Amino acid sequence: MSWRGIIEEFREHLPVRPETPVITLLEGNTPLIPAPKLSKQLGRDIQVFLKYEGLNPTGSFKDRGMTMAMSVALEKGAHTVLCASTGNTSAAAAAYATRANLRCVVLLPENKISKGKLAQALMYGAKAVAIQGNFDDALRLVRELGSEPGFAVVNSINPDRIQGQKTGSFEIINTLGRAPDAHYLPVGNAGNITAYWLGYQEFHQLGKATTLPKMVGFQASGSAPIVRGHPIEHPETVATAIRIGNPASWDGATAAIRDSGGLVDEVTDAEILSAQRWLAAQEGVFVEPASAAGIAGLFKQLCSGQLPSILAEGATVVVTVTGHGLKDPDTAIENSPGMVSCWARREDVLRLIST
Ligand code: F0G
């Protein structure tokens, strides 16, 4: 049978009722791609897999949470869904709201949304509002507006979002036949690390995996509140998806890291961009800057000599690469070697490519 989307595939593990209307774009079932060159770089027989969430219907992992949040919002009789977003949540909310025939309002930090994501929110028909402030300001507004009659908040402060996103762990365990030894991922508002840990714990309790992975999260240095231990008032990073100073799921992230024996650390913008380029050029997997934070983290730990204390010989590592590279073409082009130009003559092209 062909894939039916995460609600039908994992119905018994999700808080849906038989009468819940299922709003789906057949999200999930994303590939777990082996990364042989990355594995070789790390050495010691470590095996790395990429959970390529950019292949979801709107190009990021947010679709997993949105199918749940939108289905429940519709069931509860909402007429408007509302979210703050650094871009991907708004794209997913807008698409799923369209499927549900609900009005969608997205609050976006002005001028800090990548072009691909903005294009999506606009094309799917959301009411997009540019907020003169950052994501944290927008989320504060959403909390205030959420109590308006008929409004449903579809940020990850909505527990249905976390429930949907935990299915990433289910798919990984189903594919590997076990849990990985470590799971690396970027951390912004911290919903995803919370969700993955929930998913791993649930399948562990059900006996579908006998072990649990260490959860290893990476924030961008200019937006690293959890690493620093306090909110960041003016977060900055080229990885706009994780430009967040006061994560809503801070406690969930802390619990995941502590209870799994994992860790949280930071990577610089330069490390993020170089990991993004490396992954595209070496493994053929193009992700947006934020999505490369986990890869940048692995390289950082390799270079600092920290890796052996985290990953044993022969360890299996999954890195969630959260969003598609085409989400942010401007940053990609700015940080690539660029094109060369020449006359439309065979010998000119041959001369150029030989150097
Ligand atoms: N990677 C991408 C591509 C994201 O869009 C986000 C978050 C994250 C990682 C971090 O995940 O917030 O669960 O820790 N994007 C949100 C948004 C904030 O509005 O699209 P998180």
Side-chain angles (χ1 to χ4, degrees), residues 58-93:
T58 77
S60 87
F61 71 97
K62 303 288 181 180
D63 296 341
R64 295 179 185 275
M66 210 51 80
T67 181
M68 275 297 301
M70 207 61 67
S71 300
V72 173
L74 188 63
E75 184 180 16
K76 288 184 175 163
H79 57 64
T80 299
V81 294
L82 175 70
C83 69
S85 182
T86 57
N88 282 322
T89 298
S90 65

PDB file of all heavy atoms in Angstrom, residues 58-93:
ATOM      1  N   THR A  58       6.160  20.473   2.054  1.00  0.00           N
ATOM      2  CA  THR A  58       6.529  21.888   1.962  1.00  0.00           C
ATOM      3  C   THR A  58       8.026  22.094   2.198  1.00  0.00           C
ATOM      4  O   THR A  58       8.476  23.221   2.404  1.00  0.00           O
ATOM      5  CB  THR A  58       5.701  22.802   2.908  1.00  0.00           C
ATOM      6  OG1 THR A  58       6.169  22.672   4.256  1.00  0.00           O
ATOM      7  CG2 THR A  58       4.214  22.493   2.855  1.00  0.00           C
ATOM      8  N   GLY A  59       8.780  21.024   2.175  1.00  0.00           N
ATOM      9  CA  GLY A  59      10.238  21.153   2.197  1.00  0.00           C
ATOM     10  C   GLY A  59      10.882  21.221   3.572  1.00  0.00           C
ATOM     11  O   GLY A  59      12.069  21.556   3.666  1.00  0.00           O
ATOM     12  N   SER A  60      10.138  20.909   4.623  1.00  0.00           N
ATOM     13  CA  SER A  60      10.775  20.849   5.946  1.00  0.00           C
ATOM     14  C   SER A  60      10.022  19.887   6.861  1.00  0.00           C
ATOM     15  O   SER A  60       8.910  19.445   6.549  1.00  0.00           O
ATOM     16  CB  SER A  60      10.837  22.230   6.613  1.00  0.00           C
ATOM     17  OG  SER A  60       9.646  22.502   7.335  1.00  0.00           O
ATOM     18  N   PHE A  61      10.648  19.609   8.020  1.00  0.00           N
ATOM     19  CA  PHE A  61      10.055  18.693   9.008  1.00  0.00           C
ATOM     20  C   PHE A  61       8.755  19.210   9.598  1.00  0.00           C
ATOM     21  O   PHE A  61       8.020  18.465  10.255  1.00  0.00           O
ATOM     22  CB  PHE A  61      11.056  18.427  10.147  1.00  0.00           C
ATOM     23  CG  PHE A  61      11.297  19.602  11.065  1.00  0.00           C
ATOM     24  CD1 PHE A  61      10.624  19.719  12.263  1.00  0.00           C
ATOM     25  CD2 PHE A  61      12.206  20.588  10.724  1.00  0.00           C
ATOM     26  CE1 PHE A  61      10.832  20.800  13.111  1.00  0.00           C
ATOM     27  CE2 PHE A  61      12.424  21.675  11.564  1.00  0.00           C
ATOM     28  CZ  PHE A  61      11.739  21.786  12.759  1.00  0.00           C
ATOM     29  N   LYS A  62       8.454  20.484   9.384  1.00  0.00           N
ATOM     30  CA  LYS A  62       7.282  21.083  10.025  1.00  0.00           C
ATOM     31  C   LYS A  62       5.986  20.415   9.591  1.00  0.00           C
ATOM     32  O   LYS A  62       4.978  20.478  10.301  1.00  0.00           O
ATOM     33  CB  LYS A  62       7.210  22.572   9.695  1.00  0.00           C
ATOM     34  CG  LYS A  62       8.443  23.355  10.079  1.00  0.00           C
ATOM     35  CD  LYS A  62       8.559  23.537  11.569  1.00  0.00           C
ATOM     36  CE  LYS A  62       9.800  24.366  11.912  1.00  0.00           C
ATOM     37  NZ  LYS A  62       9.955  24.582  13.343  1.00  0.00           N
ATOM     38  N   ASP A  63       5.977  19.775   8.422  1.00  0.00           N
ATOM     39  CA  ASP A  63       4.756  19.146   7.924  1.00  0.00           C
ATOM     40  C   ASP A  63       4.257  18.032   8.848  1.00  0.00           C
ATOM     41  O   ASP A  63       3.050  17.790   8.943  1.00  0.00           O
ATOM     42  CB  ASP A  63       4.984  18.588   6.513  1.00  0.00           C
ATOM     43  CG  ASP A  63       5.277  19.693   5.511  1.00  0.00           C
ATOM     44  OD1 ASP A  63       4.961  20.865   5.796  1.00  0.00           O
ATOM     45  OD2 ASP A  63       5.850  19.396   4.441  1.00  0.00           O
ATOM     46  N   ARG A  64       5.198  17.362   9.517  1.00  0.00           N
ATOM     47  CA  ARG A  64       4.795  16.281  10.443  1.00  0.00           C
ATOM     48  C   ARG A  64       3.928  16.807  11.580  1.00  0.00           C
ATOM     49  O   ARG A  64       2.944  16.169  11.975  1.00  0.00           O
ATOM     50  CB  ARG A  64       6.031  15.634  11.086  1.00  0.00           C
ATOM     51  CG  ARG A  64       6.920  14.912  10.132  1.00  0.00           C
ATOM     52  CD  ARG A  64       8.116  14.325  10.886  1.00  0.00           C
ATOM     53  NE  ARG A  64       9.022  13.727   9.939  1.00  0.00           N
ATOM     54  CZ  ARG A  64       8.888  12.488   9.477  1.00  0.00           C
ATOM     55  NH1 ARG A  64       7.924  11.711   9.926  1.00  0.00           N
ATOM     56  NH2 ARG A  64       9.739  12.025   8.586  1.00  0.00           N
ATOM     57  N   GLY A  65       4.340  17.957  12.128  1.00  0.00           N
ATOM     58  CA  GLY A  65       3.569  18.533  13.221  1.00  0.00           C
ATOM     59  C   GLY A  65       2.310  19.203  12.720  1.00  0.00           C
ATOM     60  O   GLY A  65       1.279  19.234  13.402  1.00  0.00           O
ATOM     61  N   MET A  66       2.398  19.743  11.488  1.00  0.00           N
ATOM     62  CA  MET A  66       1.277  20.540  10.993  1.00  0.00           C
ATOM     63  C   MET A  66       0.080  19.669  10.625  1.00  0.00           C
ATOM     64  O   MET A  66      -1.069  20.090  10.800  1.00  0.00           O
ATOM     65  CB  MET A  66       1.740  21.394   9.811  1.00  0.00           C
ATOM     66  CG  MET A  66       1.009  22.692   9.678  1.00  0.00           C
ATOM     67  SD  MET A  66       0.953  23.678  11.212  1.00  0.00           S
ATOM     68  CE  MET A  66       2.558  24.456  11.217  1.00  0.00           C
ATOM     69  N   THR A  67       0.304  18.459  10.120  1.00  0.00           N
ATOM     70  CA  THR A  67      -0.838  17.590   9.799  1.00  0.00           C
ATOM     71  C   THR A  67      -1.646  17.315  11.068  1.00  0.00           C
ATOM     72  O   THR A  67      -2.881  17.317  11.060  1.00  0.00           O
ATOM     73  CB  THR A  67      -0.390  16.281   9.110  1.00  0.00           C
ATOM     74  OG1 THR A  67      -1.535  15.498   8.806  1.00  0.00           O
ATOM     75  CG2 THR A  67       0.542  15.440   9.952  1.00  0.00           C
ATOM     76  N   MET A  68      -0.943  17.143  12.189  1.00  0.00           N
ATOM     77  CA  MET A  68      -1.630  16.916  13.475  1.00  0.00           C
ATOM     78  C   MET A  68      -2.336  18.181  13.953  1.00  0.00           C
ATOM     79  O   MET A  68      -3.519  18.161  14.291  1.00  0.00           O
ATOM     80  CB  MET A  68      -0.602  16.489  14.542  1.00  0.00           C
ATOM     81  CG  MET A  68      -0.276  15.023  14.571  1.00  0.00           C
ATOM     82  SD  MET A  68      -1.704  13.995  14.979  1.00  0.00           S
ATOM     83  CE  MET A  68      -2.151  14.662  16.590  1.00  0.00           C
ATOM     84  N   ALA A  69      -1.572  19.287  14.001  1.00  0.00           N
ATOM     85  CA  ALA A  69      -2.137  20.526  14.554  1.00  0.00           C
ATOM     86  C   ALA A  69      -3.346  20.984  13.747  1.00  0.00           C
ATOM     87  O   ALA A  69      -4.356  21.430  14.299  1.00  0.00           O
ATOM     88  CB  ALA A  69      -1.075  21.622  14.588  1.00  0.00           C
ATOM     89  N   MET A  70      -3.274  20.835  12.425  1.00  0.00           N
ATOM     90  CA  MET A  70      -4.356  21.322  11.577  1.00  0.00           C
ATOM     91  C   MET A  70      -5.585  20.417  11.706  1.00  0.00           C
ATOM     92  O   MET A  70      -6.718  20.905  11.751  1.00  0.00           O
ATOM     93  CB  MET A  70      -3.879  21.379  10.120  1.00  0.00           C
ATOM     94  CG  MET A  70      -4.584  22.385   9.280  1.00  0.00           C
ATOM     95  SD  MET A  70      -4.384  24.092   9.871  1.00  0.00           S
ATOM     96  CE  MET A  70      -2.642  24.401   9.609  1.00  0.00           C
ATOM     97  N   SER A  71      -5.364  19.113  11.772  1.00  0.00           N
ATOM     98  CA  SER A  71      -6.488  18.178  11.904  1.00  0.00           C
ATOM     99  C   SER A  71      -7.247  18.434  13.202  1.00  0.00           C
ATOM    100  O   SER A  71      -8.485  18.481  13.220  1.00  0.00           O
ATOM    101  CB  SER A  71      -5.974  16.728  11.874  1.00  0.00           C
ATOM    102  OG  SER A  71      -5.311  16.477  10.649  1.00  0.00           O
ATOM    103  N   VAL A  72      -6.497  18.623  14.293  1.00  0.00           N
ATOM    104  CA  VAL A  72      -7.133  18.843  15.594  1.00  0.00           C
ATOM    105  C   VAL A  72      -7.818  20.216  15.633  1.00  0.00           C
ATOM    106  O   VAL A  72      -8.920  20.358  16.167  1.00  0.00           O
ATOM    107  CB  VAL A  72      -6.106  18.670  16.740  1.00  0.00           C
ATOM    108  CG1 VAL A  72      -6.712  19.065  18.084  1.00  0.00           C
ATOM    109  CG2 VAL A  72      -5.592  17.229  16.789  1.00  0.00           C
ATOM    110  N   ALA A  73      -7.171  21.228  15.031  1.00  0.00           N
ATOM    111  CA  ALA A  73      -7.784  22.572  15.009  1.00  0.00           C
ATOM    112  C   ALA A  73      -9.125  22.526  14.283  1.00  0.00           C
ATOM    113  O   ALA A  73     -10.119  23.118  14.729  1.00  0.00           O
ATOM    114  CB  ALA A  73      -6.839  23.568  14.332  1.00  0.00           C
ATOM    115  N   LEU A  74      -9.158  21.796  13.177  1.00  0.00           N
ATOM    116  CA  LEU A  74     -10.405  21.678  12.412  1.00  0.00           C
ATOM    117  C   LEU A  74     -11.465  20.938  13.234  1.00  0.00           C
ATOM    118  O   LEU A  74     -12.626  21.356  13.299  1.00  0.00           O
ATOM    119  CB  LEU A  74     -10.128  20.945  11.096  1.00  0.00           C
ATOM    120  CG  LEU A  74     -11.280  20.919  10.102  1.00  0.00           C
ATOM    121  CD1 LEU A  74     -11.660  22.321   9.636  1.00  0.00           C
ATOM    122  CD2 LEU A  74     -10.914  20.060   8.876  1.00  0.00           C
ATOM    123  N   GLU A  75     -11.048  19.868  13.879  1.00  0.00           N
ATOM    124  CA  GLU A  75     -11.983  19.094  14.692  1.00  0.00           C
ATOM    125  C   GLU A  75     -12.592  19.947  15.805  1.00  0.00           C
ATOM    126  O   GLU A  75     -13.777  19.827  16.124  1.00  0.00           O
ATOM    127  CB  GLU A  75     -11.274  17.872  15.297  1.00  0.00           C
ATOM    128  CG  GLU A  75     -12.225  16.980  16.082  1.00  0.00           C
ATOM    129  CD  GLU A  75     -11.545  15.758  16.691  1.00  0.00           C
ATOM    130  OE1 GLU A  75     -10.307  15.742  16.762  1.00  0.00           O
ATOM    131  OE2 GLU A  75     -12.278  14.837  17.088  1.00  0.00           O
ATOM    132  N   LYS A  76     -11.749  20.842  16.367  1.00  0.00           N
ATOM    133  CA  LYS A  76     -12.225  21.677  17.481  1.00  0.00           C
ATOM    134  C   LYS A  76     -13.026  22.878  17.012  1.00  0.00           C
ATOM    135  O   LYS A  76     -13.481  23.685  17.821  1.00  0.00           O
ATOM    136  CB  LYS A  76     -11.036  22.145  18.319  1.00  0.00           C
ATOM    137  CG  LYS A  76     -10.409  21.023  19.148  1.00  0.00           C
ATOM    138  CD  LYS A  76      -9.300  21.552  20.039  1.00  0.00           C
ATOM    139  CE  LYS A  76      -8.762  20.441  20.945  1.00  0.00           C
ATOM    140  NZ  LYS A  76      -7.441  20.806  21.508  1.00  0.00           N
ATOM    141  N   GLY A  77     -13.161  23.049  15.715  1.00  0.00           N
ATOM    142  CA  GLY A  77     -14.021  24.107  15.197  1.00  0.00           C
ATOM    143  C   GLY A  77     -13.351  25.456  15.010  1.00  0.00           C
ATOM    144  O   GLY A  77     -14.028  26.484  14.945  1.00  0.00           O
ATOM    145  N   ALA A  78     -12.018  25.478  14.933  1.00  0.00           N
ATOM    146  CA  ALA A  78     -11.328  26.753  14.692  1.00  0.00           C
ATOM    147  C   ALA A  78     -11.685  27.273  13.303  1.00  0.00           C
ATOM    148  O   ALA A  78     -11.989  26.488  12.397  1.00  0.00           O
ATOM    149  CB  ALA A  78      -9.811  26.546  14.793  1.00  0.00           C
ATOM    150  N   HIS A  79     -11.645  28.607  13.127  1.00  0.00           N
ATOM    151  CA  HIS A  79     -11.798  29.152  11.777  1.00  0.00           C
ATOM    152  C   HIS A  79     -10.514  29.814  11.290  1.00  0.00           C
ATOM    153  O   HIS A  79     -10.350  30.079  10.104  1.00  0.00           O
ATOM    154  CB  HIS A  79     -12.985  30.126  11.691  1.00  0.00           C
ATOM    155  CG  HIS A  79     -12.930  31.279  12.657  1.00  0.00           C
ATOM    156  ND1 HIS A  79     -11.953  32.248  12.626  1.00  0.00           N
ATOM    157  CD2 HIS A  79     -13.739  31.588  13.712  1.00  0.00           C
ATOM    158  CE1 HIS A  79     -12.177  33.122  13.604  1.00  0.00           C
ATOM    159  NE2 HIS A  79     -13.242  32.737  14.287  1.00  0.00           N
ATOM    160  N   THR A  80      -9.581  30.077  12.233  1.00  0.00           N
ATOM    161  CA  THR A  80      -8.331  30.749  11.874  1.00  0.00           C
ATOM    162  C   THR A  80      -7.171  30.056  12.577  1.00  0.00           C
ATOM    163  O   THR A  80      -7.262  29.770  13.779  1.00  0.00           O
ATOM    164  CB  THR A  80      -8.381  32.231  12.339  1.00  0.00           C
ATOM    165  OG1 THR A  80      -9.469  32.875  11.679  1.00  0.00           O
ATOM    166  CG2 THR A  80      -7.085  32.963  12.014  1.00  0.00           C
ATOM    167  N   VAL A  81      -6.113  29.767  11.841  1.00  0.00           N
ATOM    168  CA  VAL A  81      -4.897  29.271  12.504  1.00  0.00           C
ATOM    169  C   VAL A  81      -3.845  30.371  12.446  1.00  0.00           C
ATOM    170  O   VAL A  81      -3.784  31.157  11.500  1.00  0.00           O
ATOM    171  CB  VAL A  81      -4.363  27.955  11.899  1.00  0.00           C
ATOM    172  CG1 VAL A  81      -5.330  26.819  12.143  1.00  0.00           C
ATOM    173  CG2 VAL A  81      -4.049  28.108  10.423  1.00  0.00           C
ATOM    174  N   LEU A  82      -3.014  30.387  13.477  1.00  0.00           N
ATOM    175  CA  LEU A  82      -2.101  31.498  13.697  1.00  0.00           C
ATOM    176  C   LEU A  82      -0.751  30.942  14.116  1.00  0.00           C
ATOM    177  O   LEU A  82      -0.677  30.007  14.924  1.00  0.00           O
ATOM    178  CB  LEU A  82      -2.695  32.340  14.834  1.00  0.00           C
ATOM    179  CG  LEU A  82      -1.913  33.518  15.375  1.00  0.00           C
ATOM    180  CD1 LEU A  82      -1.866  34.627  14.328  1.00  0.00           C
ATOM    181  CD2 LEU A  82      -2.589  34.035  16.659  1.00  0.00           C
ATOM    182  N   CYS A  83       0.318  31.497  13.559  1.00  0.00           N
ATOM    183  CA  CYS A  83       1.644  31.117  14.056  1.00  0.00           C
ATOM    184  C   CYS A  83       2.636  32.256  13.884  1.00  0.00           C
ATOM    185  O   CYS A  83       2.461  33.130  13.033  1.00  0.00           O
ATOM    186  CB  CYS A  83       2.173  29.861  13.357  1.00  0.00           C
ATOM    187  SG  CYS A  83       2.584  30.084  11.612  1.00  0.00           S
ATOM    188  N   ALA A  84       3.678  32.221  14.724  1.00  0.00           N
ATOM    189  CA  ALA A  84       4.876  33.026  14.507  1.00  0.00           C
ATOM    190  C   ALA A  84       5.857  32.101  13.805  1.00  0.00           C
ATOM    191  O   ALA A  84       5.811  30.897  14.011  1.00  0.00           O
ATOM    192  CB  ALA A  84       5.467  33.463  15.838  1.00  0.00           C
ATOM    193  N   SER A  85       6.737  32.656  12.977  1.00  0.00           N
ATOM    194  CA  SER A  85       7.641  31.734  12.283  1.00  0.00           C
ATOM    195  C   SER A  85       8.880  32.422  11.761  1.00  0.00           C
ATOM    196  O   SER A  85       8.861  33.597  11.393  1.00  0.00           O
ATOM    197  CB  SER A  85       6.900  31.070  11.120  1.00  0.00           C
ATOM    198  OG  SER A  85       7.749  30.145  10.462  1.00  0.00           O
ATOM    199  N   THR A  86       9.964  31.645  11.740  1.00  0.00           N
ATOM    200  CA  THR A  86      11.156  32.069  11.005  1.00  0.00           C
ATOM    201  C   THR A  86      11.046  31.608   9.550  1.00  0.00           C
ATOM    202  O   THR A  86      12.002  31.716   8.805  1.00  0.00           O
ATOM    203  CB  THR A  86      12.422  31.501  11.669  1.00  0.00           C
ATOM    204  OG1 THR A  86      12.312  30.069  11.724  1.00  0.00           O
ATOM    205  CG2 THR A  86      12.611  32.051  13.079  1.00  0.00           C
ATOM    206  N   GLY A  87       9.918  31.057   9.175  1.00  0.00           N
ATOM    207  CA  GLY A  87       9.668  30.755   7.768  1.00  0.00           C
ATOM    208  C   GLY A  87       9.068  29.399   7.493  1.00  0.00           C
ATOM    209  O   GLY A  87       8.051  29.290   6.809  1.00  0.00           O
ATOM    210  N   ASN A  88       9.666  28.336   8.010  1.00  0.00           N
ATOM    211  CA  ASN A  88       9.187  27.005   7.651  1.00  0.00           C
ATOM    212  C   ASN A  88       7.833  26.665   8.260  1.00  0.00           C
ATOM    213  O   ASN A  88       6.985  26.039   7.608  1.00  0.00           O
ATOM    214  CB  ASN A  88      10.220  25.948   8.041  1.00  0.00           C
ATOM    215  CG  ASN A  88      11.353  25.890   7.045  1.00  0.00           C
ATOM    216  OD1 ASN A  88      11.133  26.028   5.843  1.00  0.00           O
ATOM    217  ND2 ASN A  88      12.574  25.703   7.524  1.00  0.00           N
ATOM    218  N   THR A  89       7.639  27.064   9.511  1.00  0.00           N
ATOM    219  CA  THR A  89       6.335  26.812  10.135  1.00  0.00           C
ATOM    220  C   THR A  89       5.240  27.535   9.351  1.00  0.00           C
ATOM    221  O   THR A  89       4.154  26.986   9.138  1.00  0.00           O
ATOM    222  CB  THR A  89       6.337  27.278  11.604  1.00  0.00           C
ATOM    223  OG1 THR A  89       7.320  26.512  12.311  1.00  0.00           O
ATOM    224  CG2 THR A  89       4.990  27.082  12.259  1.00  0.00           C
ATOM    225  N   SER A  90       5.548  28.745   8.900  1.00  0.00           N
ATOM    226  CA  SER A  90       4.529  29.506   8.165  1.00  0.00           C
ATOM    227  C   SER A  90       4.207  28.837   6.837  1.00  0.00           C
ATOM    228  O   SER A  90       3.043  28.796   6.419  1.00  0.00           O
ATOM    229  CB  SER A  90       4.969  30.956   7.967  1.00  0.00           C
ATOM    230  OG  SER A  90       6.099  31.054   7.140  1.00  0.00           O
ATOM    231  N   ALA A  91       5.222  28.301   6.176  1.00  0.00           N
ATOM    232  CA  ALA A  91       4.988  27.607   4.904  1.00  0.00           C
ATOM    233  C   ALA A  91       4.090  26.393   5.126  1.00  0.00           C
ATOM    234  O   ALA A  91       3.110  26.176   4.398  1.00  0.00           O
ATOM    235  CB  ALA A  91       6.319  27.183   4.270  1.00  0.00           C
ATOM    236  N   ALA A  92       4.404  25.615   6.144  1.00  0.00           N
ATOM    237  CA  ALA A  92       3.620  24.407   6.421  1.00  0.00           C
ATOM    238  C   ALA A  92       2.206  24.781   6.863  1.00  0.00           C
ATOM    239  O   ALA A  92       1.219  24.196   6.394  1.00  0.00           O
ATOM    240  CB  ALA A  92       4.311  23.557   7.483  1.00  0.00           C
ATOM    241  N   ALA A  93       2.098  25.765   7.762  1.00  0.00           N
ATOM    242  CA  ALA A  93       0.775  26.174   8.250  1.00  0.00           C
ATOM    243  C   ALA A  93      -0.087  26.635   7.078  1.00  0.00           C
ATOM    244  O   ALA A  93      -1.267  26.269   6.973  1.00  0.00           O
ATOM    245  CB  ALA A  93       0.909  27.292   9.281  1.00  0.00           C
TER     246      ALA A  93
END
